[in-house]
Amino acid sequence: MKALVAVKRVVDYNVKVRVKSDQTGVDIANVKMSMNPFDEIAVEEAVRLKEKGIVTEIIAVSCGVTQCQETLRTAMAIGADRAILVETSEELQPLAVAKLLKALFDKEQPGLVFLGKQAIDDDCNQTGQMLAALADLPQATFANKVEVVDGKASVTREVDGGLETLSITLPAVITTDLRLNEPRYVTLPNIMKAKKKQLDIFKPEDLGVDVTPRIKTLKVTEPAKRSAGIMVPDVATLVDKLKNVSKVI
Amino acid sequence: MTSLVIAEHDNATIKAATLNTVTAAVKCGGDVHVLVAGANASAAAAQAAQIAGVSKVLHVEGEGFAHGLAENVAAQVLALASAYSHIVFPATASGKNIAPRVAAKLDVAQISDVTQVDSADTFERPIYAGNAIAIVQSLDVIKVLTVRTTGFDPAAATGGSATVESVTAVPANDKAVFVKAEIAKNDRPELTSAKIIVSGGRALASAEKFNEVMTPLADKLGAAMGASRAAVDAGYAPNDWQVGQTGKIVAPQLYIACGISGAIQHLAGMKDSKVIVAINKDAEAPIFSVADYGLEADLFVAVPELVAAL
């Protein structure tokens, strides 16, 4: 079966972003961009299923600006077989991306769709669930372990208080949590090979999807700053401060 | 204008996150109804009716709701959705799992992790690991929200007198089946609602040391235990203890970070705590920039000393 993996180009997770002075957003000009860390885990999981002979072809998909091609090349260097870019300069919100992925799901008919549990820029944690709803598929979010047997996936999920295991009928949508796997490093030969792999480009109109934003960002502000703290010389002073100044114990 | 709050419960009792969610729903304006979908959940429904500010409880019984499967709960919410202006979930693992499914079927955008309700259609939410706050306006008729519980005070669990109405269950989906749960047994307060949290990082170096050093401190303070991602990934602590952008978001009265450097992803999960204490032997650790009290010391010496001094 085919696997579809959605990847997003985001500000690198090590970068501390700054809010623009006109409060229209965060400043991402000249900032290092990378593949969303959860998406790397998603690609890695698809590649491992291919190595086990369960998945036959991996299609990486990204939606956004032209530069997302770099993210797709990275996915192909990890092991995706080909890639699709849905190119638009419009701001894409999760509902729009879910609709684009639904259109590609219908076109490609994969048995599994992998996404990261959330993107580290908008912190939404919605797209996988929305795709599952639109395509009427079962979902397993926050996956920690995935086993595919006889047209079903047994997925262990990270939930509040521990772990939970579900059995879902394929096709299905799985979103990855941090501990699902350790993504491999891409090697130079694989980066070179990835340059030769097929990358198709569509526009949202080609897929018949309206991507107009449904949420208007009025303003983006700095979070409230914490007032500067003090360094204490020893444990006794610390206990005294907590008991008598802050009165928290 | 009426809001529907989707209660989080274990069929017997309502979970604390539901109370904060009710407060957020009240701020959206209008009446607040609570949906309790479960199996043998009449006790939970009765408890929901006691929450101050709730005017009606909708109680649905069905085996498919026993474990809160997203497919079944979302279908049930959709069957009721047209009567509501706001559909509000707690931003817990369960709420995050279900809410986007509901929104997509209604063809509306969903707003995640709301920390403040400015008006019936305008909300505040953190983005980029809490490094920026976005003020967003929903252009949709029905607003589907998940609420960051630490952003809102809990509603009083008693004092309300809502009517409980039984609702017909929608048929269960058979494409997703619950198999089993491994829920950690824990006598400590729940991490997200604890008044005090003691949290350990990679510096603890092993699961045994983590337990040996951190447990007495947590016991002494009656605190919940947390951990950084590094400590969880290294297997020193279970993964549901992870505090941070992609783990639990906490805001206790007192947060004690031991051997945690303070990566932005960790700070995103705890920087709204009232008082933050950092114990770290690296004076340059970023955690000291948010700590009210910083102690530059080896935690293997300082933490036992702290336990003795309390």
Side-chain angles (χ1 to χ4, degrees):
Chain A
M1 78 180 134
K2 288 189 203 175
L4 196 68
V5 187
V7 296
K8 185 176 185 182
R9 175 178 178 265
V10 298
V11 169
D12 188 85
Y13 73 100
N14 282 312
V15 173
K16 190 168 189 295
V17 295
R18 282 180 204 290
V19 173
K20 286 190 208 166
S21 53
D22 64 358
Q23 299 193 321
T24 53
V26 298
D27 193 1
I28 56 166
N30 306 317
V31 162
K32 187 184 177 206
M33 305 293 280
S34 309
M35 188 190 296
N36 181 42
F38 292 100
D39 303 348
E40 278 185 59
I41 296 170
V43 178
E44 174 69 31
E45 195 63 18
V47 173
R48 289 187 189 190
L49 288 175
K50 192 180 170 195
E51 287 166 349
K52 283 184 193 157
I54 294 165
V55 164
T56 50
E57 186 186 29
I58 301 167
I59 308 149
V61 181
S62 193
C63 305
V65 294
T66 315
Q67 290 89 327
C68 294
Q69 289 190 30
E70 294 159 22
T71 313
L72 290 169
R73 293 288 172 202
T74 308
M76 289 191 285
I78 299 173
D81 296 291
R82 61 186 168 97
I84 299 172
L85 170 63
V86 183
E87 193 179 334
T88 172
S89 51
E90 181 88 60
E91 178 205 345
L92 290 176
Q93 294 178 346
L95 183 61
V97 176
K99 287 179 180 175
L100 294 169
L101 294 175
K102 158 75 165 67
L104 293 173
F105 174 84
D106 292 343
K107 209 170 143 76
E108 299 284 351
Q109 299 285 321
L112 275 167
V113 186
F114 285 103
L115 300 90
K117 82 162 173 180
Q118 76 189 60
I120 58 166
D121 52 0
D122 61 22
D123 282 337
C124 276
N125 192 335
Q126 300 175 3
T127 311
Q129 295 90 314
M130 286 184 153
L131 168 63
L134 295 174
D136 265 320
L137 300 176
Q139 69 186 43
T141 51
F142 325 141
N144 172 302
K145 194 172 158 199
V146 176
E147 279 167 348
V148 180
V149 188
D150 298 339
K152 285 183 193 277
S154 165
V155 183
T156 304
R157 307 174 55 229
E158 296 196 6
V159 295
D160 297 335
L163 299 170
E164 169 184 289
T165 306
L166 301 181
S167 169
I168 51 176
T169 307
L170 303 186
V173 175
I174 296 175
T175 77
T176 59
D177 214 322
L178 287 168
R179 282 160 287 270
L180 179 58
N181 61 46
E182 188 79 37
R184 68 194 66 186
Y185 287 104
V186 294
T187 58
L188 189 61
N190 284 340
I191 293 172
M192 301 313 287
K193 270 187 227 158
K195 289 187 179 174
K196 298 202 182 73
K197 290 183 181 175
Q198 181 188 349
L199 195 161
D200 296 318
I201 299 175
F202 295 100
K203 299 275 179 201
E205 307 83 89
D206 303 336
L207 300 170
V209 175
D210 174 13
V211 295
T212 315
R214 309 286 279 277
I215 297 173
K216 201 163 119 192
T217 301
L218 303 178
K219 201 159 91 170
V220 175
T221 63
E222 292 266 356
K225 288 257 184 304
R226 289 188 73 93
S227 52
I230 55 164
M231 295 299 287
V232 293
D234 51 35
V235 168
T237 321
L238 175 62
V239 172
D240 174 63
K241 294 280 187 200
L242 292 177
K243 278 191 173 148
N244 303 318
V245 182
S246 304
K247 298 191 190 335
V248 283
I249 52 172
Chain B
M1 217 167 59
T2 311
S3 299
L4 181 66
V5 170
I6 315 307
E8 188 158 334
H9 62 87
D10 61 4
N11 294 312
T13 51
I14 294 285
K15 294 205 176 158
T18 309
L19 302 175
N20 310 73
T21 312
V22 166
T23 303
V26 168
K27 289 194 173 163
C28 294
D31 286 345
V32 175
H33 295 180
V34 173
L35 173 67
V36 178
N40 300 316
S42 47
Q47 223 181 62
Q50 300 290 314
I51 302 171
V54 175
S55 59
K56 187 155 70 168
V57 172
L58 304 174
H59 176 203
V60 191
E61 277 295 321
E63 270 308 310
F65 305 125
H67 304 285
L69 287 179
E71 294 77 4
N72 297 338
V73 180
Q76 184 65 52
V77 175
L78 285 167
L80 304 165
S82 58
Y84 295 95
S85 59
H86 295 75
I87 300 177
V88 194
F89 294 78
T92 54
S94 163
K96 289 173 179 177
N97 191 30
I98 305 165
R101 243 189 126 96
V102 172
K105 284 282 194 191
L106 291 171
D107 195 25
V108 305
Q110 187 231 302
I111 302 179
S112 297
D113 266 315
V114 169
T115 49
Q116 201 166 313
V117 176
D118 289 349
S119 74
D121 68 354
T122 307
F123 309 93
E124 297 189 13
R125 60 179 303 264
I127 53 174
Y128 288 92
N131 285 307
I133 308 294
I135 302 171
V136 297
Q137 186 178 27
S138 166
L139 308 175
D140 292 311
V141 182
I142 301 180
K143 279 84 177 158
V144 179
L145 317 172
T146 63
V147 167
R148 180 168 289 191
T149 53
T150 58
F152 299 88
D153 294 330
T158 56
S161 55
T163 51
V164 179
E165 189 180 300
S166 280
V167 179
T168 318
V170 299
N173 178 305
D174 59 3
K175 287 187 193 166
V177 180
F178 173 84
V179 180
K180 62 173 180 182
E182 297 157 53
I183 300 300
K185 284 266 176 285
N186 203 340
D187 302 330
R188 299 185 184 284
E190 201 200 346
L191 191 56
T192 47
S193 54
K195 292 262 183 287
I196 302 179
I197 295 172
V198 298
S199 203
R202 196 191 337 235
L204 282 145
S206 72
E208 294 71 38
K209 285 282 177 198
F210 197 102
N211 193 26
E212 186 185 313
V213 176
M214 300 303 290
T215 309
L217 182 60
D219 285 344
K220 197 90 181 196
L221 292 166
M225 287 172 82
S228 69
R229 178 187 166 188
V232 172
D233 281 354
Y236 307 162
N239 55 33
D240 55 310
W241 287 11
Q242 187 189 325
V243 171
Q245 181 188 16
T246 63
K248 301 268 170 63
I249 312 287
V250 300
Q253 295 285 307
L254 174 61
Y255 188 90
I256 305 182
C258 305
I260 293 178
S261 63
I264 50 177
Q265 294 82 7
H266 185 76
L267 301 184
M270 46 65 84
K271 65 185 167 58
D272 292 324
S273 306
K274 183 160 176 271
V275 175
I276 297 173
V277 171
I279 301 175
N280 203 303
K281 63 179 176 188
D282 175 11
E284 304 298 315
I287 190 83
F288 287 124
S289 68
V290 300
D292 297 276
Y293 302 114
L295 176 62
E296 185 192 338
D298 181 354
L299 72 94
F300 293 108
V301 178
V303 174
E305 254 185 70
L306 181 57
V307 174
L310 288 167

